[in-house]
Amino acid sequence: MKDIKVIAFDADDTLWVNEPYFREAEEKFSNLLEDFLPHHSVQKELFKTEMDNLALYGYGVKSFMLSMVETIGRITDEKADIKLVNKAVNLGRELLNKPVEILDGVEKVLAALNGGYRLVMATKGDLLDQERKLIKSGLEKHFHHIEIMSDKKVSDYAKLLKHLDCKPEHFLMIGNSVKSDIIPVLELGGFAIHVPYHTTWAYEKVDIKIDDPRFFEAESIERIIDFIS
Amino acid sequence: MKDIKVIAFDADDTLWVNEPYFREAEEKFSNLLEDFLPHHSVQKELFKTEMDNLALYGYGVKSFMLSMVETIGRITDEKADIKLVNKAVNLGRELLNKPVEILDGVEKVLAALNGGYRLVMATKGDLLDQERKLIKSGLEKHFHHIEIMSDKKVSDYAKLLKHLDCKPEHFLMIGNSVKSDIIPVLELGGFAIHVPYHTTWAYEKVDIKIDDPRFFEAESIERIIDFIS
């Protein structure tokens, strides 16, 4: 990894806490519907709705909110009290208003790499929500460029690289999702370091063993320095 | 306007039809609630909800959908049948699935300017929805850069100009909203051409007479050529 010029960081669950907040919201959502279905079935139904809506709504909290609303209608055969809908919407509003909790080691690593590399934040989700989290985090000063992507497929990274005027062999992506942060970048010919997080959204889970000389696994974000320098 | 290097176009109601689709959805939404309130009051309440949610949700169809859902709860004092909520959500889904209707003259103008200038599309709204509309429109090939912005305030344009490495005096913005496309760009020292559209969202309406040597008004997008060349 001698020729890296651009280092891109995923944001949710790489720079700051995200998935545990969603899990908490899902728990509360299941509580709302426990008169109709057991918790695990509610969560299964919600996930099904989210997957059905992904192509139309994209990622992020507002999509999650709309999927909760739709799931209430379906699970209850349109018999739920509308108060449940408002409660679900409020769970989403709580998510949007959460404070940003930066993960351990992130500030130290960004400060250490800043100057030697062009640092990029590359995340998917709601445009405004991710911008707001970045501002709340105070991490904006470290980044040369912020890219909020509608998806993280190979074609999306290809567009990002073109935009940054960076060849794949000079590009390193760091993130917690093998599916979104690692596989598409390796496929393009870039480098990738996986920094696992304890909680992963079912959608992001993959059961693949990666065997690629441009792939590395770091047990924490502070350890990525070992691979780069 | 001799030194223009970058020409940026707003998208909704500048390149393609947008606001009339929202108006149609608002009409249908008022129909859903006519047992509770007269049409104009429903629309007033919906607009109030949208304004209250703007800072938290941002612009776009998903925000509009969540505001419809919330308005049903408030107008009916949480007594509405949940079926109304699902009907409102479906109005939003219809909006997301609308075909893209390119406005008269747009393709001709873009083709004429392409080559002589860096053309940019600068729009606010849902990230995925605006990307999808651009792809459906077939206009992507004309643009050097696409910027989907969470807002169109002076600071947002300043960021865009920095990103494009373009001085304000080399920048021309074209759009239908005096509030979002014209005033902030003039304030930065850029050029702006207003191309009015017959339908304007209440939020975008301003009652200001602009007296600025860098401001022009074109009666149709085809006439912008008169000012540029």
Side-chain angles (χ1 to χ4, degrees):
Chain A
M1 247 200 272
K2 283 199 180 313
D3 295 325
I4 296 302
K5 290 177 182 166
V6 174
I7 303 180
F9 290 82
D10 168 54
D12 290 339
D13 303 317
T14 297
L15 301 180
W16 52 61
V17 176
N18 178 65
E19 196 52 31
Y21 294 156
F22 272 88
R23 288 296 161 91
E24 203 180 289
E26 283 166 13
E27 274 305 315
K28 291 181 184 170
F29 181 68
S30 325
N31 287 340
L32 294 179
L33 288 164
E34 63 189 357
D35 291 346
F36 297 91
L37 271 184
H39 279 214
H40 71 273
S41 305
V42 173
Q43 291 182 22
K44 216 174 124 185
E45 288 299 321
L46 175 58
F47 184 66
K48 183 185 174 304
T49 317
E50 286 182 87
M51 291 304 102
D52 289 347
N53 287 333
L54 198 54
L56 191 64
Y57 293 164
Y59 300 91
V61 178
K62 284 180 289 187
S63 306
F64 178 70
M65 292 165 81
L66 290 167
S67 287
M68 283 194 288
V69 169
E70 184 180 332
T71 303
I72 293 173
R74 194 174 68 243
I75 285 182
T76 69
D77 206 14
E78 293 196 312
K79 285 181 177 63
D81 191 311
I82 195 175
K83 288 191 177 75
L84 282 189
V85 169
N86 285 340
K87 283 178 184 165
V89 167
N90 283 331
L91 293 177
R93 295 177 72 98
E94 277 175 29
L95 279 178
L96 290 170
N97 281 312
K98 283 271 182 203
V100 170
E101 195 180 333
I102 299 173
L103 292 170
D104 283 348
V106 164
E107 298 206 80
K108 201 174 142 189
V109 164
L110 292 176
L113 295 173
N114 199 344
Y117 304 89
R118 276 158 75 199
L119 302 187
V120 169
M121 184 182 111
T123 178
K124 52 186 163 61
D126 270 336
L127 186 58
L128 180 63
D129 187 39
Q130 294 292 18
E131 285 184 1
R132 184 165 36 214
K133 286 197 275 188
L134 178 62
I135 290 164
K136 279 189 195 170
S137 75
L139 297 175
E140 196 176 3
K141 62 179 180 288
H142 296 294
F143 294 107
H144 165 86
H145 178 73
I146 307 299
E147 188 77 19
I148 299 169
M149 305 157 81
S150 61
D151 210 339
K152 280 183 162 179
K153 297 212 158 56
V154 174
S155 58
D156 302 292
Y157 281 104
K159 230 186 270 181
L160 174 63
L161 287 179
K162 192 181 159 212
H163 181 66
L164 293 167
D165 197 19
C166 175
K167 289 182 181 161
E169 60 265 34
H170 300 152
F171 182 76
L172 165 63
M173 178 76 197
I174 290 156
N176 71 301
S177 166
V178 171
K179 181 175 184 171
S180 296
D181 303 317
I182 309 299
I183 293 173
V185 172
L186 293 174
E187 203 170 315
L188 273 180
F191 290 82
I193 304 179
H194 181 223
V195 183
Y197 189 63
H198 55 75
T199 309
T200 309
W201 184 27
Y203 171 77
E204 301 287 354
K205 283 185 184 158
V206 283
D207 193 18
I208 292 180
K209 180 131 185 60
I210 298 175
D211 182 21
D212 189 307
R214 286 171 283 104
F215 170 71
F216 304 88
E217 182 111 23
E219 63 188 32
S220 76
I221 196 148
E222 288 182 271
R223 306 307 298 269
I224 67 170
I225 303 282
D226 305 345
F227 300 105
I228 297 170
S229 50
Chain B
M1 248 202 275
K2 284 201 180 314
D3 294 324
I4 296 303
K5 290 175 182 168
V6 174
I7 304 180
F9 290 82
D10 169 54
D12 289 339
D13 303 317
T14 298
L15 300 180
W16 51 62
V17 176
N18 177 67
E19 196 52 32
Y21 294 156
F22 271 89
R23 288 295 162 90
E24 202 180 290
E26 283 167 11
E27 274 304 315
K28 290 181 184 169
F29 180 68
S30 326
N31 288 340
L32 293 180
L33 288 164
E34 62 188 358
D35 290 345
F36 297 91
L37 271 185
H39 279 215
H40 71 275
S41 305
V42 172
Q43 291 183 22
K44 214 173 126 187
E45 288 299 321
L46 175 58
F47 184 65
K48 184 186 172 306
T49 317
E50 288 182 87
M51 291 303 102
D52 289 346
N53 287 334
L54 198 54
L56 191 64
Y57 293 164
Y59 300 90
V61 179
K62 285 181 289 186
S63 305
F64 178 71
M65 293 165 80
L66 289 168
S67 287
M68 283 195 287
V69 170
E70 184 181 330
T71 303
I72 294 173
R74 194 174 68 242
I75 284 182
T76 68
D77 206 13
E78 294 197 312
K79 287 184 177 59
D81 191 312
I82 196 175
K83 288 190 177 74
L84 281 190
V85 169
N86 286 340
K87 283 178 184 164
V89 167
N90 283 332
L91 293 177
R93 295 177 71 100
E94 276 174 29
L95 277 178
L96 290 169
N97 282 312
K98 284 270 180 202
V100 170
E101 195 182 331
I102 300 173
L103 292 170
D104 282 349
V106 164
E107 298 205 81
K108 199 174 146 192
V109 164
L110 291 176
L113 295 174
N114 198 346
Y117 304 89
R118 276 156 76 200
L119 302 187
V120 169
M121 183 182 112
T123 177
K124 52 186 163 63
D126 271 335
L127 186 58
L128 180 65
D129 186 39
Q130 293 293 17
E131 284 183 3
R132 185 167 35 217
K133 286 196 277 188
L134 178 62
I135 291 165
K136 279 188 195 171
S137 76
L139 297 175
E140 196 177 3
K141 61 180 182 287
H142 296 294
F143 294 107
H144 164 86
H145 177 73
I146 308 299
E147 188 78 18
I148 299 169
M149 304 157 83
S150 61
D151 210 338
K152 280 184 163 179
K153 298 212 158 55
V154 174
S155 58
D156 302 292
Y157 281 105
K159 231 187 269 180
L160 174 63
L161 286 179
K162 193 183 158 207
H163 181 68
L164 293 168
D165 198 16
C166 174
K167 289 182 182 162
E169 59 265 35
H170 301 151
F171 183 77
L172 165 64
M173 179 75 199
I174 290 157
N176 71 302
S177 167
V178 170
K179 181 175 184 172
S180 296
D181 302 318
I182 308 300
I183 293 174
V185 172
L186 294 175
E187 203 171 315
L188 273 179
F191 290 82
I193 303 179
H194 182 223
V195 184
Y197 189 64
H198 55 75
T199 309
T200 308
W201 184 27
Y203 171 78
E204 302 286 355
K205 283 186 183 156
V206 282
D207 193 16
I208 291 179
K209 182 133 185 62
I210 299 176
D211 182 22
D212 190 309
R214 286 171 284 105
F215 171 71
F216 304 89
E217 183 112 22
E219 65 187 32
S220 76
I221 197 151
E222 289 181 90
R223 305 307 297 270
I224 67 170
I225 303 281
D226 305 344
F227 299 104
I228 298 170
S229 50

